């Protein structure tokens, strides 16, 4: 007897076979139908979302989480608009990446195909339900979504509306499956379902991601945590450096590509640090510095070993003074999470050396770390930002949701 | 206090930073020096190998395993030759796969970089030690090797000789690290070392691979198991079909791309099956058939449900008769392991439909499944054959041992 989750796995695998066969035109038709359905069912979506909001308030959930949980006319319209944009993107499926003739006459080609079944485990944003569906559907995958219990009414409603759109176009409704049982056990079971799920993408806080990485037997793409550094080299343009750092730290504080730590060359620190501090003070950012930073800015908080490894996601930044580029690179490679790092410099050799030797998904020269994002990189969409090196690294667009298959055309070849 | 395995992880991570910086010329020099060292130290290698052979014989290990364990002058020369060939391959590291200008002037490039630290868990073939080192070193990775206890003296000797070659060229000797403690505990610890190991590749039997997939928190590339099918369509050229099937089943029985199961269209079965059986009988292959196959060949063994899912790796093959291409595809997608599948047909539409809908790393038309192999596909080398869809699928050459990094060149960009 199959468990509830196994049944979902089997249904998803079956649906994935159907989705893989859909042409671009059918997939786009589906996406637009779902977008229309979301818009026309907004009253129903708001009504169901209200149930989650009410329960969250009764439970005393904090305001920032309630804000994330909330659907509004605008957010529903944004979900629909997102699906419309995904429909307009080029379909990566079916592209033949290479085709070569072998000496024995075999033609060996490599073709882009769907992954199959994508599993997504996420927290309380109900818009992820529609966004993840859109990217998976466009790439011919079926998706199993496991959202948080806080958002269950919203997620059920969004899923129902999406299925309604698919039904109108006679497309497989099991292309999206929501795990309706939000007990912890279902997450555990989902993580062991490698027979049916081809990849699991956790989207949420560090605790959720660590749990999935530790316990999943399904291949995982680790996303999100960003302890991002900016290194101010000896030759940096100080005015520009202050502006970039202000942007990277304060343009949005709670995101993974925000700057969490400054590394400053000693030769630039005395001039740069007061200027940077002034910019950050205007946004009430707390600065935690090492001993040398505190000699320049006596008022700041001492940084501890723990600070170097912390992703604050808040109005705090750490500062370390170094004597060389090599020391900066070693510090960053020791404490970073492999997300986004930037060097501010006028020195050509240092720019290239930093870019070569810092081990991260995105390494910048003279720009804010805030650009690590699928839309900013020109992918038109994003399912998350991978901080691992396997399969996809950095912002993941549609291609990250595909695999390849070798297609071989012969005329009777046997191996000698 | 770090454990032995953690210490190896730290050393490998440090070495990987050095390896990543090596230019193509230095890496090739290292590979050729190691090849020379293996050749000149063959007496020492044979002597150490003899210890493993003696111990295996005393333990009563079966002959086929002893044969796999044995080093000979020829096998040592083959290892050296393999490294020389890898040196001659193009270096994939550093290639910029794309570079685009964004509207804000940022130049966003995607560059091929090493994975970092590769872990390999394998069984008793000591040649894997040199082969895996060569592929990892060429791609700027450090490698941690955990071979079987049966081969420990051989693996220690091969590793020592490799380090000797690296030393002669002043290259980082920790580019190769062998786990000298072959207790079960070290495998378990290695599988949890995601802080230092970027990918784990198990090479060996189904039990080893399942253990790694089930227990590793390090990202795994699943390799090897192949329950490969050949489908004889109604329109197949029967003579050619018999020849291809004989080749796919018998050219080498114990390998993952050997054919384990035939699926035959009912319209072709009466003519094809006796011809195929004649070819297979000449190699003492046992045929296990479904009821309809047994009507045609009354002498054969009945196939059970278990047969459809079994990778025999032996002189056995199963036969199922189907009434349509759709039934064949459904049967194959249900029982295959995602390795290699082939259709023998003269029908254009059926060839494409089979290739589109069968879910496997390599899908053939009118050729033997035995070609799924890095050398046969023209990659010049192979670290294994991936049967998963993430990162790499099918034969894995040098590129499968690389990741990418976004390199972004700005001149002061901040995010609005």
């Amino acid at each position: 007897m199959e468990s509830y989750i196994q049944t979902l796995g089997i249904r998803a695998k079956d649906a994935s076979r159907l989705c893989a066969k859909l042409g671009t035109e059918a997939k786009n038709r589906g996406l637009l139908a779902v977008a229309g359905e979301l818009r026309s069912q907004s009253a129903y979506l708001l009504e169901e979302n209200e149930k989650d909001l009410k329960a969250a308030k009764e439970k005393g959930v904090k305001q920032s989480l309630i804000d994330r949980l909330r659907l509004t006319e605008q957010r529903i319209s944004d979900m629909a608009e997102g699906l419309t944009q995904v429909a307009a993107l080029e379909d990566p499926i079916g592209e033949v990446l290479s085709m070569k003739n072998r000496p024995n006459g075999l033609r060996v080609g490599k073709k882009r195909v769907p992954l199959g079944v994508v599993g997504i485990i996420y927290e309380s944003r109900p818009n992820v339900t529609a966004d993840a569906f859109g990217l998976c559907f466009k790439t011919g995958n079926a998706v199993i979504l496991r959202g948080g219990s806080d958002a269950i009414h919203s997620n059920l409603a969004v899923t129902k509306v999406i299925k309604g759109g698919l039904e109108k176009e006679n497309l497989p409704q099991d292309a999206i499956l929501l795990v309706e049982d939000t007990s912890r056990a279902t997450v555990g079971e989902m993580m062991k379902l490698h027979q049916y799920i081809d990849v699991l993408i956790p989207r949420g806080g560090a605790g959720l991601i660590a749990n999935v990485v530790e316990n999943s037997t399904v291949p995982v793409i680790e996303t999100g945590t960003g302890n991002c550094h900016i290194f101010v080299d000896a030759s940096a343009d100080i005015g520009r450096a202050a502006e970039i750092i202000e942007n990277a730290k304060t343009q949005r504080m709670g995101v993974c590509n925000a700057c969490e730590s400054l590394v400053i060359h000693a030769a630039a620190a005395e001039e740069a640090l007061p200027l940077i501090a002034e910019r950050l003070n205007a946004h009430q950012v707390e600065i935690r510095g090492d001993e040398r930073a505190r000699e320049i800015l006596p008022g700041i908080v001492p940084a501890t070993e723990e600070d170097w490894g912390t992703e604050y996601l808040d109005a705090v930044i750490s500062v370390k003074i170094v004597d060389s580029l090599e020391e900066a690179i070693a510090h960053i490679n020791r404490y970073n999470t492999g997300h986004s790092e930037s060097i501010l410099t006028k020195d050509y050799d240092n720019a290239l050396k930093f870019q070569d030797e810092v081990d991260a998904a995105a390494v910048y020269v003279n720009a804010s770390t805030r650009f690590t994002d699928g839309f900013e990189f020109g992918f038109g969409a994003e399912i998350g930002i991978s901080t691992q090196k396997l399969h996809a690294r950095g912002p993941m667009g549609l291609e990250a949701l595909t695999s390849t298959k070798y297609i071989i055309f012969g005329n009777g070849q046997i191996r000698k």
Side-chain angles (χ1 to χ4, degrees), chain A:
Chain A
M1 198 26 212
E2 284 118 11
S3 73
Y4 167 61
I5 292 287
Q6 280 173 319
T7 309
L8 285 187
I10 293 166
R11 282 171 61 189
K13 188 55 97 185
D14 287 345
S16 75
R17 308 269 187 225
L18 300 175
C19 291
K21 285 199 256 185
L22 295 175
T24 305
E25 194 270 329
K27 293 188 287 190
N28 290 345
R29 223 174 352 103
L31 290 166
L32 296 177
V34 170
E37 204 67 10
L38 285 169
R39 287 202 176 93
S40 70
Q41 299 284 326
S42 66
Y44 166 66
L45 293 172
L46 292 175
E47 202 177 287
E48 292 301 307
N49 180 242
E50 191 54 44
K51 295 182 188 168
D52 288 331
L53 294 175
K54 188 160 171 267
K57 283 175 201 155
E58 279 167 9
K59 272 173 61 185
V61 167
K62 68 177 175 176
Q63 195 56 42
S64 60
L65 287 180
I66 290 178
D67 288 342
R68 287 168 55 179
L69 189 56
R70 189 185 308 278
L71 286 179
T72 60
E73 288 283 0
Q74 183 59 47
R75 283 185 179 175
I76 293 168
S77 167
D78 288 348
M79 285 198 274
E81 180 55 27
L83 295 176
T84 308
Q85 283 173 12
V86 168
L89 293 176
E90 205 178 325
D91 185 351
I93 298 301
E95 184 188 359
V96 175
L97 304 167
S98 66
M99 173 76 81
K100 285 186 183 160
N101 277 19
R102 299 295 305 149
N104 61 3
L106 277 184
R107 291 155 211 226
V108 179
K110 192 176 187 179
K111 184 172 151 177
R112 204 178 278 291
V113 299
L115 281 169
V117 177
V118 177
I120 304 206
I121 300 181
Y122 57 113
E123 291 174 335
S124 50
R125 290 178 199 272
N127 61 309
V128 171
T129 313
D131 294 352
F133 159 75
L135 295 169
C136 291
F137 191 73
K138 178 80 184 202
T139 45
N141 295 294
V143 64
I144 301 182
L145 294 158
R146 203 291 193 181
S149 56
D150 287 355
I152 186 65
H153 292 97
S154 312
N155 289 336
L156 279 166
V158 172
T159 304
K160 190 174 167 191
V161 171
I162 290 173
K163 284 178 184 282
L166 292 173
E167 190 183 10
K168 284 196 172 158
E169 295 291 336
N170 286 313
L171 292 164
Q173 293 181 52
D174 279 356
I176 177 170
L177 290 165
L178 182 75
V179 179
E180 300 186 10
D181 172 355
T182 57
S183 65
R184 290 182 72 88
T186 59
V187 180
E189 249 195 286
M190 198 170 157
M191 292 193 287
K192 304 292 180 195
L193 214 63
H194 55 267
Q195 197 184 347
Y196 302 114
I197 303 180
D198 295 287
V199 59
L200 210 50
I201 305 176
R203 287 188 52 169
L208 168 68
I209 291 165
N211 179 30
V212 176
V213 169
E214 297 282 338
N215 296 303
S216 180
T217 64
V218 180
V220 174
I221 299 181
E222 205 174 331
T223 63
T225 50
N227 183 20
C228 305
H229 298 74
I230 290 181
F231 170 53
V232 183
D233 195 11
S235 68
D237 176 322
I238 302 296
R240 187 187 265 180
E243 189 186 25
I244 289 175
I245 290 164
E246 178 186 17
N247 180 261
K249 179 69 231 177
T250 70
Q251 199 254 349
R252 224 174 128 195
M253 302 262 194
V255 291
C256 59
N257 56 18
C259 178
E260 304 288 14
S261 187
L262 297 178
V263 182
I264 306 183
H265 196 290
E270 256 182 90
E271 194 194 339
L273 204 43
L275 233 83
I276 294 166
E278 200 186 310
R279 293 267 197 163
L280 295 176
N281 287 340
H283 301 269
Q284 289 80 49
V285 174
E286 178 184 317
I287 301 174
R288 299 187 188 169
D290 68 358
E291 210 176 299
R292 291 164 81 185
R294 281 182 291 123
E295 280 167 20
I296 301 168
L297 296 177
I300 63 173
V301 180
T304 65
E305 172 71 21
E306 206 194 324
D307 281 298
W308 308 133
T310 300
E311 183 189 17
Y312 301 113
L313 296 170
D314 206 345
V316 186
I317 198 166
S318 65
V319 180
K320 180 175 178 72
I321 311 292
V322 295
D323 289 312
S324 66
L325 173 64
E326 288 70 22
E327 193 185 342
I329 293 171
H331 175 82
I332 292 171
N333 280 339
R334 174 155 180 205
Y335 293 103
N336 80 346
T337 54
H339 198 293
S340 303
E341 316 295 339
S342 184
I343 180 173
L344 310 182
T345 190
K346 288 181 188 163
D347 187 296
Y348 177 85
D349 286 343
N350 287 3
L352 292 197
K353 188 178 166 74
F354 185 88
Q355 227 174 26
D356 280 349
E357 297 185 14
V358 166
D359 191 10
V363 189
Y364 293 81
V365 177
N366 293 331
S368 168
T369 55
R370 286 281 291 114
F371 291 105
T372 305
D373 173 304
F375 294 90
E376 293 293 334
F377 277 13
F379 304 163
E382 182 192 287
I383 188 88
I385 296 171
S386 164
T387 54
Q388 70 180 38
K389 294 187 190 174
L390 228 58
H391 186 68
R393 194 178 193 200
M396 296 187 287
L398 291 177
E399 282 187 10
L401 293 172
T402 69
S403 181
T404 58
K405 168 199 269 190
Y406 285 102
I407 52 174
I408 304 103
F409 298 90
N411 50 359
Q413 281 79 359
I414 58 170
R415 187 155 171 186
K416 308 289 180 198

